[in-house]
Amino acid sequence: MDEKALKTSPWQRVIIILVAILLLGSTVLTYMFIVMSNSSSQQDRNAQMAELEDQIDAKNAELAEAVKPLSDKYFKTLQDYYKSQVKAYNATAANDKKLEIKDLKEGTGTQLQEKDINYNAYYIGWCADGKVFDSSFAYAEDDKNKQNPTGLQQPLVGSSSMIEGWIQGIIGMKIGGVRQLSIPGELAYKDETNGSRACGAGAPLKFIVMMLPEDEDLKKVKTIQSELSDLNVKLYMLKLGGQ
């Protein structure tokens, strides 16, 4: 084959260069479009997240107001149980025993069945040395040692994630009742992570559980809790979509 036939003419080289420039330009424009689209999408997502966070803050404030009537209604009663029932106990003896229940007040509402989570409760949980490790009490910000409760927080919503001693201990309890649970370590926090937040891994625990009867105040709180949960799920999914 003639060597000259293999060479490109000046016009062919110009066309090749123009095609290469067009291809490069198209690639750059496509990249810029993708970057700008992603940037716009991220800005929209950030705006939506900011709006949801504002809604969550407003809903938390609404919940705090809705809880006040419940606090006014049950605070003194739970505080009286705190003063009369929360005492030190023998950890070894408590661990040697099985789960023990003691009804301090008989309820008049629906009786809780096995694996039943349809309830709201106020509670106090304490260690063998008498120290309260968790409760429904609210405290002033400057009360670092949590010695003087000023009211009650939002009630606990029933959950299947509670420790086994709690799950077993509330079976048969009636709504409106108050029960004391003495839970051996094997039915409490067995691992070091959760145990360290309570009384130690494998330590026995005691609880006072007050099941709240359903009234208009509680219904209002439950409605707001549900709305707040929905907002938090939406925010979580939005953040997940941005990853």
Side-chain angles (χ1 to χ4, degrees):
M1 182 179 291
D2 189 355
E3 187 175 322
K4 290 183 178 180
L6 297 176
K7 294 183 178 179
T8 58
S9 67
W11 283 108
Q12 287 176 320
R13 288 197 293 272
V14 169
I15 291 173
I16 291 171
I17 292 171
L18 287 174
V19 169
I21 291 173
L22 286 173
L23 287 174
L24 179 61
S26 176
T27 302
V28 170
L29 287 173
T30 301
Y31 176 76
M32 290 177 63
F33 176 77
I34 293 172
V35 170
M36 290 175 66
S37 296
N38 288 339
S39 177
S40 177
S41 177
Q42 185 60 48
Q43 287 176 357
D44 289 343
R45 188 180 293 111
N46 289 341
Q48 291 177 48
M49 287 193 293
E51 183 179 352
L52 277 172
E53 287 169 350
D54 288 342
Q55 292 178 17
I56 288 171
D57 289 342
K59 193 61 66 175
N60 275 318
E62 186 181 347
L63 180 59
E65 285 299 315
V67 166
K68 288 181 180 179
L70 292 179
S71 179
D72 293 341
K73 195 179 303 181
Y74 297 113
F75 173 56
K76 185 179 183 307
T77 301
L78 196 65
Q79 191 177 40
D80 288 344
Y81 282 120
Y82 168 69
K83 292 177 180 178
S84 63
Q85 302 295 324
V86 177
K87 301 173 182 177
Y89 54 92
N90 188 293
T92 302
N95 266 339
D96 288 342
K97 296 177 182 178
K98 295 182 179 180
L99 172 68
E100 292 185 338
I101 62 173
K102 178 182 179 182
D103 284 313
L104 304 177
K105 177 186 175 184
E106 187 74 20
T108 58
T110 304
Q111 189 175 51
L112 296 176
Q113 305 301 315
E114 186 176 358
K115 297 183 180 179
D116 197 342
I117 59 173
N118 187 27
Y119 63 84
N120 290 80
Y122 280 133
Y123 67 96
I124 308 169
W126 71 100
C127 308
D129 61 2
K131 181 181 178 180
V132 173
F133 68 88
D134 195 13
S135 77
S136 297
F137 288 128
Y139 299 87
E141 291 185 6
D142 58 353
D143 187 0
K144 303 300 183 182
N145 295 321
K146 297 184 177 181
Q147 296 296 315
N148 300 297
T150 57
L152 296 173
Q153 305 175 58
Q154 61 175 299
L156 173 75
V157 179
S159 169
S160 59
S161 64
M162 304 298 290
I163 58 172
E164 188 61 30
W166 176 292
I167 292 173
Q168 294 182 21
I170 63 172
I171 295 174
M173 191 176 178
K174 293 181 179 180
I175 300 298
V178 181
R179 177 175 285 187
Q180 181 172 305
L181 310 178
S182 296
I183 302 174
E186 63 180 6
L187 297 179
Y189 298 107
K190 300 177 184 180
D191 62 282
E192 194 66 39
T193 302
N194 288 320
S196 63
R197 293 201 297 265
C199 308
L205 309 174
K206 284 196 176 187
F207 286 94
I208 288 174
V209 184
M210 176 190 293
M211 292 293 175
L212 306 185
E214 185 118 342
D215 58 14
E216 292 305 313
D217 292 327
L218 181 58
K219 287 180 181 178
K220 184 176 181 179
V221 167
K222 289 171 68 175
T223 297
I224 298 173
Q225 286 175 327
S226 178
E227 293 170 347
L228 186 58
S229 176
D230 289 344
L231 288 172
N232 279 308
V233 169
K234 289 180 181 178
L235 181 60
Y236 173 77
M237 294 305 294
L238 202 57
K239 289 180 176 180
L240 194 65
Q243 294 179 355

